Amino acid sequence: MSTVDSFRLDDRVAFVSGGGGAIGSALAVALGGAGARVAVADIDQARVDAAADRVRAAGAECIALAADITRETDAKRVVAAIVERFGRLDIIVNAVGGGAGKALFDAQEYPRDAWDWIMEINLRSTLVATQAAVRAMIQGGRGGRVVNISSVRAQLGINAGYSAYVAAKGAVSSLTRQWATEWAKHGINVNAIAPTFVDTPQVAMLLDDPAFKASLVSRVPLGRVGDTSDLVGPVLFFASAASAFVTGQILTIDGGLTATQ
Ligand SMILES: NC(=O)c1ccc[n+]([C@@H]2O[C@H](COP(=O)([O-])OP(=O)(O)OC[C@H]3O[C@@H](n4cnc5c(N)ncnc54)[C@H](O)[C@@H]3O)[C@@H](O)[C@H]2O)c1
């Protein structure tokens, strides 16, 4: 296999949980473009259908599944549908999450309902989708790849009411290392990307504030916020044979922000 071919995903089946989202849909298109057959699942039917159309327009086979990925029954149903349709599952990308901008509270007052919601969509979704996917990978006996989406917030505090989000993403980073350790014996590599702000509707409220954006960008050596396209190369690396000897790693994608801290 040539070096470039080791990034190809021909014959593989990729499941993007939260594939209707800004980041999830961009990654689904990229995985399809690299040769994978793709399944996208999301709680929002219209978004997941639109994402599947984009993947198909890029030339890949794709199925769209509406599901609440915080529910174990839904996650199991989605994985069963993927295996029934494609006969295998090789890659899961966990892209359900976010919500931090809608749940900003002082740390000493952080309310339980907001805490539980942020934990559910960022941590529980990653847990139940991965458990369902990895059971199928182990049964398939061909190994696999898990790619989690953590955040630079797992490493850096932010003076903006983010307690639940940093706790959830910290747990996603820790689980990445734990799962890598436990599932290596099954040939399943587990890694995560940890982006700083990526220009998506999820963070538009913050990035639309010129003072906030200017202060943020001034601390990023590469002088800008992220774009969904910045996540594609790292995720294809983690999803493919190119990362055969890499597991349990959290790749920060932040234009150099954390290098300055
Ligand atoms: N945008 C950023 O700046 C940024 C930075 C670092 C990390 N992240 C992480 O990247 C991931 C994707 O973020 P995004 O910006 O694409 O957000 P997004 O809101 O565009 O995508 C999230 C998707 O998850 C779906 N979803 C929510 N709850 C669900 C549920 N219970 N079941 C199934 N689907 C559900 C939503 O419908 C949405 O399509 C999140 O984990 C987020 O925390 C985002």
Side-chain angles (χ1 to χ4, degrees), residues 24-214:
S25 59
L27 296 177
V29 170
L31 292 161
R37 289 169 286 166
V38 180
V40 279
D42 201 285
I43 202 164
D44 187 319
Q45 178 87 60
R47 279 175 161 228
V48 79
D49 286 342
D53 285 345
R54 283 179 58 202
V55 177
R56 291 186 201 111
E61 233 181 296
C62 186
I63 56 170
L65 300 146
D68 178 350
I69 297 290
T70 61
R71 294 159 56 111
E72 211 177 338
T73 46
D74 279 32
K76 282 183 180 165
R77 171 175 59 79
V78 164
V79 168
I82 295 168
V83 173
E84 188 182 331
R85 168 68 184 263
F86 295 128
R88 59 192 285 170
L89 177 57
D90 304 283
I91 300 156
I92 177 170
V93 176
N94 282 302
V96 172
K102 292 185 189 147
L104 299 174
F105 299 95
D106 289 342
Q108 70 278 15
E109 304 294 348
Y110 210 96
R112 186 169 185 158
D113 55 349
W115 180 277
D116 289 347
W117 176 61
I118 292 292
M119 285 291 175
E120 283 292 297
I121 65 168
N122 287 283
L123 182 55
R124 173 93 44 208
S125 67
T126 300
L127 174 67
V128 300
T130 306
Q131 286 179 318
V134 164
R135 280 194 291 262
M137 289 174 192
I138 292 172
Q139 200 165 3
R142 285 178 290 262
R145 292 285 193 275
V146 177
V147 185
N148 292 326
I149 305 190
S150 183
S151 164
V152 77
R153 294 297 145 226
Q155 297 174 63
L156 299 180
I158 179 170
N159 188 11
Y162 266 61
S163 291
Y165 188 74
V166 302
K169 292 303 190 184
V172 168
S173 290
S174 295
L175 271 178
T176 300
R177 289 184 282 264
Q178 179 63 23
W179 289 342
T181 309
E182 286 197 34
W183 295 333
K185 59 181 171 288
H186 300 294
I188 297 168
N189 295 22
V190 186
N191 293 289
I193 57 167
T196 182
F197 285 95
V198 180
D199 195 359
T200 62
Q202 185 68 245
V203 292
M205 202 178 68
L206 288 168
L207 295 182
D208 286 349
D209 174 351
F212 180 90
K213 187 167 180 182

Side-chain angles (χ1 to χ4, degrees), residues 235-261:
V235 168
L236 290 183
F237 172 65
F238 284 144
S240 68
S243 62
F245 198 50
V246 179
T247 195
Q249 300 305 303
I250 321 292
L251 179 61
T252 307
I253 304 174
D254 67 351
L257 172 66
T258 50
T260 69
Q261 303 299 302

